[in-house]
Amino acid sequence: MDPSPAAIDPCRCPLCGQPNGCANEIARATGQAQPPCWCTTVAFAPELLARVPPEAQRKACICAACAACAGAVPR
C-alpha cells in the first residue's frame, strides 16, 4: 500500500520505515540547531532515489542503512 501524503512521516525512511535521523527534522521538532545532516556528506545513486515513492520525494529522507545498502558514497 502506498503511503498517502498525510501518512508520510518526515522522520522515517520512505523505503524501510525506520527512523532516518534527519537533522533538519530534529531541529524543527526541538527548536535546537543541529549539525549538518549526515545525508549532505553522501551521494545517493539515482536508482535508490527512484525507489522513493513520488508522494514522499523531498518530504522524507532515506535512512543511512538504506543508503549504505544501496552503495551511497561520500561526496
Side-chain angles (χ1 to χ4, degrees), residues 1-3 6-7 11-12 14-15 21 31 33 36 39 44 48-49 52 54 56 59-60 62 65-69 73:
M1 173 189 270
D2 290 333
C11 295
R12 297 208 168 266
L15 300 178
C39 69
F44 294 92
L48 177 64
L49 296 175
V52 176
K59 294 182 178 73
I62 296 168
C66 286
C69 286
V73 295

Side-chain angles (χ1 to χ4, degrees), residues 9-14 17-23 25 37-38 59-64:
D9 182 347
C11 295
R12 297 208 168 266
C13 177
Q18 294 301 308
N20 58 23
C22 178
E25 290 304 321
C37 193
W38 67 270
K59 294 182 178 73
C61 296
I62 296 168
C63 71

Side-chain angles (χ1 to χ4, degrees), residues 5 10 24 26-27 32 37-38 40 46 49 55 57-58 60 64-65 67 70-71 73:
N24 295 327
I26 294 169
Q32 299 291 319
C37 193
W38 67 270
T40 63
L49 296 175
E55 57 277 352
Q57 291 177 4
R58 301 195 176 272
V73 295

